[in-house]
Amino acid sequence: MFLVALCIRRPIGTTLIVLGLIMAGMLGYRLLPIADLPNVDLPVVQVQAQQPGGTPEEIASTIAEPLERHLGTISGLTEMTSQSVTGQVNISLQFDTSRDVNSAARDVQAAIHAARADLPATLRQDPTYHEANTAGMPILILALTSKTRTPAKIYDAATNVLEQHLSQIAGVGQVELGGGALPAVRVEMNPLRIFKYGIGFEDIRAALAAANANTPKGFLTRDSQRIILRTNDQVQSARDLRGLIVAYRNMRPVRLEDIATVSDGVEDVENGGFYNGERAVLVIIFPRTGANIVQTIDQVKAQFPFLTAALPADVELHVGMDRSFTIRAALADTKNTLFLSVLLVVAVVLVFLRSPRTTLVPAVVIPASLITTFGVMELLHYSLDNLSLMALTISTGFVVDDAIVVIENISRHMEKGETLAVAVLAGAQEVAFTVLSVSISLIAVFFPILMLGGLIGNVLHEFAVTISVTVLVSMGLSLTLTPMMCSRVLRTSDVLHAGSSKRGLWARISGWLEHVFGRLQQAYEMGWLPSSPHGIAMCQNGRWKKRLRERTADEGYSDRR
């Protein structure tokens, strides 16, 4: 091959190219986002609508059904899941992988606007939607506690301060509040008293709505003067509602406190959070698709001084859950496994080649192939996660094969007495097609994984591509860097006298290994290991023959020709 000869004649250029690939891989390693699992970028949109006080049946019939009817007309929709609970409905829309999530979100917004005419007029706010992260487990949970403030006041402070500030941090996709609700005036009606006065529930609701309105009141005109009336009828506490006149019976007013218990509380009393046994409001942070989880958590923690200063002085901020600890520990363990696998592969190569100079070639090619893969992963917008690192660990065994095939063929030519230059060029060119076919065969094994669709295919796609890229990089380096290094590193004495024990400790160890391998080869040829008829017939004397006769008696073989 022309490329092999060119790399052997231009060692400096080959070295600079490989160093450039290694530097690009190191830069890509620093830029790769860190996560526990690959980012599964499926086009999923979540729609949510709230109706406080509504039962699941009412929510499903009056809110979920109109929304489903309009959302179901969107093109590319593959799955729609609706869940109606007390006070709210959650609709999950999953689109075909060919659809862009931003385009799908615009279609969802248009469908929500079209469904607004069919939704109840009492709906407090329009349904909301957001792009969901399918790999979006919470990455950080913060807890707000206070010894003097109620959960409602803490929740109010979290809504006005934390939620907006945290949503602006790069990498944060969604912020949810739990463990509390906004402050509200709760009216618990007594059915017996309502029946006594003959008042209907709709009359009470209308009276509450009229008494809690903040609408323009108009203006007063006198001569050339105009006075604008500005009043706020919004109710701030239970004390303002207790004296509300609901109806008149027997020429006497019936007040709200006569038929109901009015108290200050929260919108949802069945929502609570705890931190170390103490009532708390939880701030649940979800990542944005493709975000560096560890870096995002570090950025959130860097904002703690500003968040603490913005919160009331009697509110304490705690970290309830931090996923960066487990991610760092898992990645550190996987990195150690990758490092040990490289060392073990090099050690095994050293034991069988019995030449430190020869072992230096795969010891350089293997790390160069793995490091270069990091740069390709960054170009493909992959992440540094357990699956990608596991793929690199598995690829260590594949990477060494190409270099060993080239080195062994070059050594075979040197054993024939050819010069180093001729042996390197001829040996590398002879196995070039072999290395190419072996690499393509390995990639073909993972091709079915690349063709998988759905969630499983998206999760395993990064794993298969990483292995394929590593094999391709290894093939390229084996046909360029390996011949060049062999032409500069190998010596004829390393190949011809690998088993010599005349000088040095390593030479004695190499000679002992050569002796052990020779005995194993002899035992294989004699049939001791495979117990073949041919090997038994070759056995001539001593205990070997006696032992083999005992084995052939059980297997039905004979040593007679």
Side-chain angles (χ1 to χ4, degrees):
M1 292 179 62
F2 171 76
L3 182 61
V4 176
L6 179 63
C7 293
I8 295 175
R9 293 197 303 265
R10 299 289 187 268
I12 297 179
T14 304
T15 304
L16 292 177
I17 292 175
V18 173
L19 289 178
L21 293 176
I22 293 176
M23 294 180 63
M26 296 174 64
L27 179 61
Y29 175 81
R30 295 182 60 88
L31 297 177
L32 281 173
I34 300 176
D36 50 352
L37 292 174
N39 291 312
V40 182
D41 193 10
L42 291 178
V44 178
V45 179
Q46 296 279 354
V47 178
Q48 187 179 43
Q50 296 182 351
Q51 179 76 304
T55 63
E57 293 78 9
E58 295 173 350
I59 296 294
S61 61
T62 61
I63 300 179
E65 184 178 353
L67 286 175
E68 292 172 358
R69 187 166 56 252
H70 288 82
L71 293 172
T73 60
I74 301 177
S75 62
L77 181 64
T78 59
E79 182 179 347
M80 179 168 56
T81 305
S82 176
Q83 183 181 13
S84 300
V85 296
T86 302
Q88 67 177 3
V89 58
N90 295 308
I91 302 176
S92 177
L93 305 172
Q94 181 174 335
F95 295 88
D96 188 76
T97 54
S98 60
R99 284 221 57 178
D100 179 59
V101 66
N102 296 321
S103 175
R106 289 192 294 269
D107 292 344
V108 170
Q109 183 181 17
I112 291 176
H113 284 246
R116 189 63 182 90
D118 300 332
L119 296 177
T122 57
L123 197 64
R124 187 171 60 178
Q125 60 182 6
D126 291 340
T128 60
Y129 72 95
H130 65 273
E131 301 171 10
N133 184 1
T134 53
M137 293 177 59
I139 60 174
L140 191 65
I141 297 179
L142 306 179
L144 300 176
T145 61
S146 177
K147 299 184 180 300
T148 57
R149 290 178 178 265
T150 61
K153 294 182 178 179
I154 300 176
Y155 190 92
D156 189 28
T159 304
N160 297 326
V161 178
L162 290 186
E163 190 172 9
Q164 288 81 4
H165 191 87
L166 292 174
S167 300
Q168 299 173 1
I169 298 177
V172 175
Q174 183 181 1
V175 179
E176 292 184 0
L177 300 181
L182 291 174
V185 177
R186 301 193 63 83
V187 179
E188 300 178 0
M189 292 178 288
N190 190 330
L192 296 178
R193 294 185 180 179
I194 293 176
F195 177 76
K196 175 184 176 181
Y197 289 106
I199 302 175
F201 289 104
E202 182 61 26
D203 297 334
I204 300 175
R205 189 203 63 78
L208 291 174
N212 189 28
N214 185 19
T215 57
K217 300 301 186 294
F219 53 87
L220 299 176
T221 302
R222 182 179 179 182
D223 297 334
S224 61
Q225 293 183 347
R226 174 176 290 184
I227 302 174
I228 299 177
L229 300 178
R230 292 182 180 178
T231 60
N232 188 354
D233 294 336
Q234 285 187 316
V235 178
Q236 302 294 332
S237 63
R239 181 181 57 184
D240 301 331
L241 275 182
R242 290 193 180 101
L244 176 65
I245 299 176
V246 178
Y248 287 89
R249 294 295 182 268
N250 299 326
M251 304 300 294
R252 295 183 58 184
V254 179
R255 304 185 182 277
L256 186 61
E257 61 183 353
D258 297 333
I259 58 175
T261 302
V262 185
S263 61
D264 293 322
V266 294
E267 291 182 349
D268 187 2
V269 296
E270 298 179 354
N271 191 355
F274 295 88
Y275 176 76
N276 289 338
E278 185 179 358
R279 283 297 302 270
V281 172
L282 306 179
V283 182
I284 307 172
I285 302 174
F286 294 87
R288 179 177 53 83
T289 301
N292 188 327
I293 294 179
V294 175
Q295 183 179 359
T296 301
I297 294 176
D298 292 339
Q299 291 177 352
V300 172
K301 290 183 176 180
Q303 299 294 323
F304 276 10
F306 304 99
L307 298 177
T308 304
L311 290 171
D314 54 350
V315 176
E316 299 178 359
L317 181 63
H318 311 275
V319 177
M321 189 273 287
D322 186 355
R323 277 181 60 194
S324 63
F325 293 111
T326 57
I327 293 175
R328 285 190 173 99
L331 291 179
D333 185 70
T334 310
K335 290 177 184 177
N336 293 335
T337 303
L338 176 61
F339 180 73
L340 289 176
S341 64
V342 174
L343 289 182
L344 288 176
V345 168
V346 173
V348 171
V349 172
L350 178 62
V351 168
F352 281 88
L353 294 182
R354 303 183 304 282
S355 174
R357 283 179 175 271
T358 308
T359 309
L360 181 63
V361 178
V364 173
V365 173
I366 294 175
S369 301
L370 299 179
I371 294 175
T372 304
T373 306
F374 289 125
V376 181
M377 291 172 59
E378 169 61 22
L379 294 177
L380 296 176
H381 303 288
Y382 287 167
S383 61
L384 199 64
D385 50 66
N386 290 325
L387 284 181
S388 61
L389 289 177
M390 183 177 67
L392 292 174
T393 305
I394 296 174
S395 302
T396 305
F398 299 153
V399 167
V400 72
D401 293 342
D402 298 336
I404 291 300
V405 169
V406 176
I407 293 173
E408 286 183 346
N409 199 48
I410 292 175
S411 300
R412 183 177 63 86
H413 281 271
M414 295 176 65
E415 290 175 354
K416 291 181 180 180
E418 298 178 0
T419 61
L420 180 60
V422 174
V424 171
L425 183 59
Q429 289 180 342
E430 283 181 358
V431 297
F433 182 76
T434 303
V435 172
L436 177 62
S437 61
V438 170
S439 301
I440 294 177
S441 300
L442 289 174
I443 296 175
V445 173
F446 298 96
F447 189 76
I449 300 179
L450 296 174
M451 299 301 294
L452 282 177
L455 182 61
I456 302 299
N458 282 270
V459 171
L460 297 179
H461 186 270
E462 184 173 326
F463 171 80
V465 172
T466 302
I467 292 183
S468 302
V469 169
T470 308
V471 171
L472 289 177
V473 173
S474 170
M475 180 192 66
L477 293 181
S478 298
L479 298 178
T480 55
L481 179 62
T482 300
M484 187 276 293
M485 291 191 64
C486 289
S487 65
R488 301 291 170 176
V489 173
L490 291 186
R491 297 290 182 270
T492 306
S493 58
D494 296 332
V495 178
L496 299 180
H497 305 290
S500 176
S501 58
K502 294 182 179 180
R503 64 182 187 279
L505 177 61
W506 174 251
R508 297 190 187 94
I509 296 176
S510 179
W512 179 79
L513 291 174
E514 182 71 20
H515 175 72
V516 172
F517 294 151
R519 294 297 297 270
L520 289 174
Q521 183 179 359
Q522 181 184 8
Y524 182 82
E525 292 175 353
M526 295 176 64
W528 180 263
L529 295 179
S531 185
S532 63
H534 177 69
I536 296 171
M538 292 178 61
C539 184
Q540 298 294 330
N541 57 2
R543 56 184 183 180
W544 285 65
K545 186 174 181 179
K546 181 180 179 182
R547 179 69 179 274
L548 290 174
R549 283 178 176 175
E550 294 176 355
R551 295 180 62 183
T552 54
D554 297 334
E555 299 176 2
Y557 295 137
S558 174
D559 60 340
R560 295 181 181 180
R561 301 200 175 183

